[in-house]
Amino acid sequence: MTYTIESAQNIFSGTQIPSPIPATIALFDQLSVDDRLAYLWYAYTEMGRTITPAAPGAARLQLAEGLLTQIKQMSPEEQTKVMRDLANRIDTPINRSYGFFSVNTKLAFWYELGELMKQGIVAPIPTGYQMSPGVKVVLEATQKLDPGQQITVLRNTVVDMGFDTSDLAPSSSRKSAEPVFERTEPVTTNVKIEGINEPAVLQYVEAMNADNFAAAIALFTANGALQPPFQKPIVGHEAIAKYMREEAQGLNMMPKQGICEVQPDGSKQVKVTGVVQTPWFGVNVGMNIAWRFLIDPQGKIFFVAIDMLASPQELLNLRRM
Ligand code: EQ3
């Protein structure tokens, strides 16, 4: 074998031009805790004038029910403290519970808190709060992003809140099944990608668009890896399957074009660009994405990286570099 995960990470390295998303999150991270919460409030409500997320289903909200009930019963001061603690990522029992939530349950939890804030059941941004110049800078940076990038900033800041439980073993009571996202759009089958006829790539998209993760996983080598945007590779069938169940449900992948280069050892390097929709925003927000696949000589996926493109022009950038 002439490739490793490290070498695979560098295929089509020209795709990885600096994204404005981590830069915006770095600005956000420099804000004080009240400014971070206020930024999220303004960014979310501003975005909500054009696009709003779909309400999370009852099954998903049920996973956050315990925390939400506790918070509803608190005084406004205590509620504000809980939100500050979450944004400060300190070690508290509530922050640990939140830390064990899946990405989509964290989003559902904040969705519901936002609704409760609007209804006056949970404390809003403190009255008299004065927006600092720092918040204005991050809001302006956010306004320059396209909608797909804006929702990625919101998602990633929400995911990073609470206590980091990655080094803690979840108790068995915390291993709740991930509720499904109901698909409202018909599933795209018979995928066609201009310039690509590699079966593993076409079958990958078909399986993912049907939430058939077993079929998608079967396309990977046993030591294969999937690298989500801005993350390290997730290696092996079991880890990839867990990740897909938690984070890839209900996605609508619309790859458009690609290139495939056969290497001397028979492996193939494939780059595909296109648009992905999340069930949270459906057809209203498209994210411009590149997939970089390394297919082994037997036609199995050894590696796939998913990159958020810096601009729509990058959709047409299939150059090697
Ligand atoms: C209440 C309020 C407003 C104020 C308070 O002060 C603080 C907070 C946090 C508040 C609430 C904020 C809320 C409710 C934010 C909600 C944000 C949402 C719902 C964001 C959702 C974003 C979803 C995204 C960006 C999904 C992206 C998915 C991608 C790119 C999938 C890629 C994949 C592909 C294409 C594959 O092939 C393999 C799998 C993989 C998942 C990697």
Side-chain angles (χ1 to χ4, degrees):
M1 194 168 78
T2 50
Y3 42 81
T4 59
I5 292 186
E6 288 70 36
S7 66
Q9 282 179 293
N10 291 319
I11 63 172
F12 299 106
S13 56
T15 304
Q16 295 154 296
I17 63 167
S19 160
I21 295 169
T24 309
I25 294 175
L27 288 175
F28 167 86
D29 280 336
Q30 286 169 20
L31 297 175
S32 72
V33 64
D34 281 356
D35 280 352
R36 267 182 261 158
L37 291 169
Y39 159 83
L40 286 163
W41 176 260
Y42 291 122
Y44 182 73
T45 41
E46 181 57 33
M47 204 180 70
R49 293 208 269 178
T50 44
I51 41 160
T52 38
R60 190 170 298 284
L61 274 179
Q62 219 178 336
L63 297 176
E65 191 65 39
L67 276 199
L68 288 166
T69 308
Q70 264 188 62
I71 295 171
K72 278 191 255 180
Q73 287 162 354
M74 291 175 176
S75 68
E77 293 73 27
E78 288 167 329
Q79 292 171 338
T80 303
K81 182 172 182 316
V82 166
M83 291 190 270
R84 285 184 176 141
D85 287 350
L86 281 164
N88 265 332
R89 303 170 193 145
I90 56 174
D91 189 359
T92 67
I94 287 185
N95 278 6
R96 281 188 180 229
S97 303
Y98 179 89
F100 281 111
F101 285 169
S102 71
V103 167
N104 285 318
T105 306
K106 286 177 181 170
L107 291 168
F109 167 83
W110 277 108
Y111 175 96
E112 193 56 20
L113 273 192
E115 293 303 301
L116 296 169
M117 284 164 91
K118 283 183 214 155
Q119 291 162 27
I121 299 170
V122 166
I125 300 294
T127 39
Y129 167 81
Q130 290 286 317
M131 196 193 283
S132 78
V135 175
K136 285 190 190 135
V137 169
V138 194
L139 281 174
E140 276 162 23
T142 309
Q143 276 156 6
K144 291 192 188 114
L145 304 178
D146 68 41
Q149 293 170 328
Q150 292 185 0
I151 64 166
T152 306
V153 169
L154 279 183
R155 175 191 183 277
N156 292 4
T157 50
V158 164
V159 170
D160 281 349
M161 285 195 198
F163 186 64
D164 179 0
T165 56
S166 49
D167 291 336
L168 306 175
S171 74
S172 53
S173 62
R174 289 201 171 103
K175 283 192 196 135
S176 32
E178 191 63 24
V180 291
F181 272 102
E182 296 298 335
R183 282 184 178 271
T184 47
E185 302 294 315
V187 172
T188 331
T189 49
N190 197 12
V191 172
K192 289 203 174 51
I193 309 173
E194 199 187 309
I196 301 295
N197 51 22
E198 178 58 35
V201 172
L202 300 172
Q203 287 166 21
Y204 171 82
V205 176
E206 271 181 31
M208 296 298 284
N209 276 348
D211 296 324
N212 186 349
F213 302 131
I217 298 294
L219 300 166
F220 283 77
T221 62
N223 57 348
L226 179 142
Q227 182 179 296
F230 313 114
Q231 288 185 42
K232 293 201 186 81
I234 299 164
V235 185
H237 283 195
E238 204 182 316
I240 301 174
K242 179 175 182 290
Y243 174 82
M244 284 181 175
R245 277 195 303 273
E246 287 184 3
E247 303 204 24
Q249 275 189 47
L251 294 175
N252 188 16
M253 304 190 186
M254 294 172 286
K256 298 250 165 21
Q257 58 260 307
I259 51 166
C260 174
E261 295 178 352
V262 183
Q263 303 302 303
D265 65 356
S267 65
K268 289 173 191 154
Q269 299 185 1
V270 180
K271 177 173 165 183
V272 172
T273 58
V275 173
V276 173
Q277 293 164 345
T278 147
W280 282 102
F281 295 94
V283 295
N284 299 318
V285 185
M287 287 168 284
N288 299 319
I289 296 279
W291 291 262
R292 294 179 289 126
F293 288 92
L294 198 156
I295 310 290
D296 81 355
Q298 288 71 43
K300 293 256 178 190
I301 303 172
F302 173 72
F303 178 81
V304 57
I306 293 91
D307 306 308
M308 301 285 301
L309 299 178
S311 67
Q313 291 84 327
E314 291 297 310
L315 284 170
L316 299 172
N317 175 9
L318 294 169
R319 278 174 297 123
R320 154 128 291 277
M321 278 143 61

